Amino acid sequence: MTSKKLVNSVAGCADDALAGLVACNPNLQLLQGHRVALRSDLDSLKGQVALLSGGGSGHEPAHAGFIGKGMLTGVIAGAVFTSPAVGSILAAIRAVAQAGTVGTLLIVKNYTGDRLNFGLAREQARAEGIPVEMVVIGDDSAFTVLKKAGRRGLCGTVLIHKKLSPSLPSTHSWYSDSFPPGAYLCVGAGGRCPGRGRCGAGGDHKSGTLGVSLASCSVPGSKPTFELSADEVELGLGIHGEAGVRRIKMATADKIVAIMLDHMTNSSNVSHVPVQSGSSVVLMVNNLGGLSFLELGIIADAAVRSLEGRGVKIARALVGTFMSALEMPGISLTLLLVDEPLLKLIDADTTASAWPNMAKVSVTGRTWIRAAPTEPLEAPDSTATGGTDSKQMVLVLERVCTTLLGLEEHLNALDRAAGDGDCGTTHSRAARAIQGWLKEGQPPASPAQLLSKLSLLLLEKMGGSSGALYGLFLTAAAQPLKAKTDLPAWSAAMDAGLEAMQKYGKAAPGDRTMLDSLWAAGQELQAWKSPGANLFQILTKAVKVPPLKMEDSTCV
């Protein structure tokens, strides 16, 4: 069974996706008749070197999201997971050449189709007299033994886009004096990349990428590319769903990250990154497409802690989606060894929409936890009661807690009739929290302070909407009791609590919520405001009065 995708058609999904990006970005233009996106200010690049990249669609935001000043000049996109057509690559080269650029550098991920098609377009362009050079990026750190095809091009390619990007005007030959400053790290003065054309993220072994996935992805119109059992994850897979180096058991985020970093930095691994204690790196935490932002944050935290625990300095950290594999639920980690000159290239300004707004400061060494605010000092309370009244408060609270604990199952049963069946459990959790608090020491003698402390306790321990509503009620009820504690003040406290519950809970009397019972009692307590009111007589009546529409009332 094929997976569901929000597309207009399988055949046209790559065209539609690129058109949508360009339509929403005034800095981009489509090249007529081709699946090519270019900078809209192309004519301003006269005398500079153009940087073109691309590959199959399905890896968004790579590569078109990285077009802009300070990054790529243009991108050629193929169909999903398919190399771009030679004709479109050649058309892009011609377009930037006719705009007045002095040469073109093709940045190509190390996949057979990409090497062949970009290489053929390069040869055709050179036959037309257009200066073109090509570098092939291989940054995969998965394989422990050397493969004939070399390391696959993965998310580290994005960092190559960035460090090769700041172009200079021509003075002599385009491939030496006009070449982007960062290119000297890979290409050298002769315009050719050492290591048989592989460079940057792969050939110099200064960076590496490793991915892990919880499940497969699926090309539009097709079934998932592979299957994983519920307790397995794939380590070292490619961005098209290619097999990894092994399958490992599902584990915590900390454990998975530790396994990844161990594999990437193991010196016995031919594709390892020589990161050791004292090294300075750029860390890239990349969402392969289907991972939640919550999980991505957890992975980023684990990676930072694990690297710093190994004595590695994280100079910069990029967290987000940079090179995806459609909807694959997984991540890749990229490590790039950096020095100050390379870091300046990474930090250089760019208008590329997918490049993050990254702080140009080191992650390691900064203070990233701020001290918690101090609690305000409690003002002296003139309403504090004596020791006898304080003991009476304890007895009342203990009786309330014992009653709630005894009613746990009964309240759950009532709640199951129309709710989620946890009313008794929630109130028992509150009762146990109050009992534990009372054992720690004598509660405040002031009624206002007592209600405030109970409010904080329920907000922290009770949980759910009940904890929030009781917390609101008690916080508001405490306010009128700061000045007086006579019967009219207690009636006003009930009014204040009910008003707060209605204001923030958006419930009204008769809505069949917990407010109904409290509201009915509150109406009876209005009698406390009358001179000569009898405390216990009115209180007894308030306890016994039936709530509004009690037959339909439910716990929340």
Side-chain angles (χ1 to χ4, degrees):
M1 179 178 173
T2 59
S3 60
K4 293 186 288 187
K5 293 285 192 295
L6 284 173
V7 299
N8 296 315
S9 69
V10 172
C13 62
D15 296 281
D16 293 346
L18 190 62
L21 176 68
V22 174
C24 296
N25 192 334
N27 296 321
L28 303 182
Q29 287 181 322
L30 288 174
L31 187 62
Q32 185 177 8
H34 299 277
R35 199 183 292 124
V36 174
L38 297 165
R39 283 175 55 174
S40 57
D41 63 344
L42 202 59
D43 294 331
S44 69
L45 300 180
K46 291 180 180 179
Q48 296 185 7
V49 175
L51 299 185
L52 297 179
S53 189
S57 297
H59 303 303
E60 291 74 16
H63 294 274
F66 300 106
I67 300 174
K69 294 178 181 178
M71 287 197 81
L72 297 176
T73 309
V75 160
I76 309 95
V80 175
F81 292 176
T82 304
S83 299
V86 174
S88 292
I89 301 171
L90 182 58
I93 295 171
R94 288 170 177 165
V96 296
Q98 291 171 17
T101 60
V102 294
T104 299
L105 177 64
L106 304 177
I107 306 173
V108 182
K109 297 191 300 300
N110 187 29
Y111 292 99
T112 302
D114 288 351
R115 291 198 314 271
L116 291 173
N117 289 7
F118 276 90
L120 181 54
R122 171 184 178 250
E123 295 302 322
Q124 291 180 349
R126 287 167 67 93
E128 295 175 8
I130 302 174
V132 183
E133 291 297 336
M134 182 171 113
V135 292
V136 180
I137 310 302
D139 61 309
D140 188 4
S141 288
F143 297 106
T144 57
V145 295
L146 186 63
K147 298 281 184 176
K148 184 176 181 180
R151 301 166 72 185
R152 295 174 294 200
L154 300 176
C155 194
T157 307
V158 175
L159 295 175
I160 301 303
H161 294 337
K162 190 68 176 62
K163 76 177 187 179
L164 292 181
S165 58
S167 298
L168 295 175
S170 176
T171 54
H172 295 94
S173 57
W174 78 271
Y175 55 81
S176 57
D177 296 326
S178 295
F179 218 72
Y184 291 113
L185 297 168
C186 310
V187 181
R192 286 201 259 177
C193 183
R196 293 179 296 174
R198 294 181 179 85
C199 80
D204 56 9
H205 282 240
K206 296 299 183 184
S207 77
T209 299
L210 187 68
V212 68
S213 180
L214 310 180
S216 175
C217 62
S218 56
V219 174
S222 302
K223 297 179 180 179
T225 53
F226 61 86
E227 297 290 339
L228 280 172
S229 62
D231 63 343
E232 286 184 325
V233 296
E234 185 90 8
L235 180 70
L237 74 171
I239 52 174
H240 310 101
E242 305 98 322
V245 289
R246 70 178 189 271
R247 292 184 175 182
I248 58 177
K249 292 296 183 181
M250 187 67 190
T252 64
D254 282 353
K255 180 65 175 176
I256 294 293
V257 167
I259 291 172
M260 295 175 73
L261 292 176
D262 286 344
H263 188 91
M264 294 174 70
T265 59
N266 188 338
S267 59
S268 65
N269 175 0
V270 71
S271 59
H272 77 282
V273 189
V275 172
Q276 53 191 351
S277 179
S279 296
S280 182
V281 302
V282 170
L283 166 67
M284 179 177 277
V285 182
N286 173 55
N287 187 350
L288 287 175
L291 208 66
S292 69
F293 282 98
L294 181 137
E295 293 164 285
L296 195 65
I298 293 170
I299 292 292
D301 174 60
V304 169
R305 284 188 288 106
S306 183
L307 285 169
E308 291 184 339
R310 300 165 189 241
V312 177
K313 176 185 176 183
I314 304 172
R316 301 289 185 272
L318 295 79
V319 182
T321 304
F322 306 104
M323 185 176 288
S324 66
L326 292 170
E327 82 283 23
M328 183 178 287
I331 54 105
S332 66
L333 299 179
T334 299
L335 299 177
L336 171 66
L337 286 162
V338 290
D339 53 17
E340 283 304 314
L342 181 51
L343 207 53
K344 288 182 179 179
L345 296 173
I346 298 295
D347 285 343
D349 292 336
T350 178
T351 61
S353 60
W355 185 259
N357 184 20
M358 181 178 56
K360 299 174 183 179
V361 295
S362 176
V363 172
T364 299
R366 73 180 186 90
T367 302
W368 57 280
I369 295 179
R370 189 179 185 87
T374 57
E375 294 287 338
L377 296 175
E378 291 184 355
D381 195 328
S382 60
T383 65
T385 59
T388 303
D389 287 343
S390 181
K391 291 179 180 178
Q392 194 71 22
M393 287 183 188
V394 173
L395 292 175
V396 170
L397 288 172
E398 288 178 342
R399 180 65 178 270
V400 170
C401 292
T402 302
T403 302
L404 286 174
L405 290 171
L407 290 172
E408 180 175 357
E409 290 304 319
H410 179 63
L411 291 174
N412 280 339
L414 289 174
D415 195 25
R416 277 193 292 271
D420 51 10
D422 68 344
C423 182
T425 302
T426 302
H427 283 76
S428 292
R429 187 161 55 242
R432 292 188 182 93
I434 293 172
Q435 287 178 331
W437 176 62
L438 291 175
K439 290 178 180 178
E440 293 175 359
Q442 195 74 8
S446 159
Q449 291 180 3
L450 176 68
L451 296 188
S452 295
K453 292 292 186 181
L454 287 172
S455 169
L456 294 174
L457 187 66
L458 296 185
L459 285 170
E460 180 181 351
K461 301 294 186 180
M462 189 175 189
S465 57
S466 295
L469 287 168
Y470 284 128
L472 279 168
F473 177 86
L474 293 171
T475 299
Q479 306 313 307
L481 298 174
K482 289 182 175 180
K484 296 181 179 180
T485 57
D486 55 11
L487 291 184
W490 279 100
S491 179
M494 188 74 170
D495 293 342
L498 292 169
E499 182 182 353
M501 290 179 73
Q502 292 179 83
K503 179 179 179 181
Y504 295 103
K506 297 300 181 183
D511 283 352
R512 294 177 292 177
T513 70
M514 61 190 290
L515 178 67
D516 291 349
S517 298
L518 292 170
W519 179 266
Q523 294 306 296
E524 294 299 326
L525 296 184
Q526 294 296 316
W528 277 351
K529 296 177 181 178
S530 301
N534 185 289
L535 167 65
F536 290 105
Q537 183 180 16
I538 294 171
L539 187 59
T540 301
K541 186 177 180 182
V543 170
K544 292 182 177 180
V545 67
L548 296 175
K549 297 185 180 181
M550 184 60 177
E551 66 276 11
D552 295 323
S553 183
T554 60
C555 294
V556 295

